[in-house]
Amino acid sequence: MSTAIYVRFQGATRSPKGHFPGVFALANGLAREGRLSAEQYRFWRAGNDWYDAHYPNPSHADPSVYDHDLNPGAVAWFKATAGHLIERVDGYLEILAAHEVACERVESTDPGRVVYEDEVQVVVVPWENEAARPSGGTTRR
């Protein structure tokens, strides 16, 4: 039985930078490349606007949170209690599936060293070495 308290939706393959891009980065990439249909674009734009209004941007609170030298590979995870945010990810997953972009849901009790936290999310530097992880685990679904 899972006791995950953090949830992340991410690509199934590593980016050239070595991390697994999150669901928003993947969808934003499709939009930037002009690959979305008109309907997908409308959903993506409205969805991003909604998240911008309802989801704190860690970079606004701490501009260094995603600094590669200070926090290499930093990624955001939802807190499992942020159901109102997590439930809206499905539309993004549908867009990614339509474009054959593999994305997975990952759950963890300890995804890495926390470098930012607010009421709905954490940004962590992932544990580099499984043996170095102090406790907890990660499951993929």
Side-chain angles (χ1 to χ4, degrees):
M1 186 156 133
S2 174
T3 58
I5 57 171
Y6 303 108
V7 177
R8 178 170 165 78
F9 297 88
Q10 65 184 24
T13 57
R14 291 186 186 273
S15 74
K17 293 182 179 182
H19 69 282
F20 294 96
V23 65
F24 301 118
L26 293 169
N28 292 350
L30 291 173
R32 192 172 39 255
E33 294 167 5
R35 295 177 53 196
L36 300 181
S37 69
E39 181 180 333
Q40 290 170 336
Y41 186 89
R42 280 190 298 277
F43 171 87
W44 167 80
R45 180 72 270 149
N48 280 7
D49 290 345
W50 186 90
Y51 275 106
D52 287 345
H54 294 89
Y55 189 38
N57 182 333
S59 295
H60 293 169
D62 178 0
S64 69
V65 73
Y66 291 112
D67 181 285
H68 183 70
D69 292 328
L70 293 174
N71 300 312
V75 293
W77 290 69
F78 290 111
K79 290 183 177 179
T81 55
H84 66 293
L85 299 175
I86 294 169
E87 68 189 17
R88 296 180 73 99
V89 171
D90 286 348
Y92 288 86
L93 297 176
E94 290 172 14
I95 289 172
L96 295 175
H99 290 273
E100 299 180 347
V101 176
C103 193
E104 60 188 2
R105 177 185 171 119
V106 183
E107 299 176 351
S108 181
T109 57
D110 186 14
R113 178 175 54 87
V114 175
V115 296
Y116 170 86
E117 182 172 5
D118 61 41
E119 56 281 345
V120 295
Q121 69 185 321
V122 294
V123 176
V124 304
V125 175
W127 299 117
E128 295 282 328
N129 180 338
E130 289 293 318
R133 185 185 317 217
S135 65
T138 302
T139 58
R140 287 173 160 60
R141 296 197 284 151

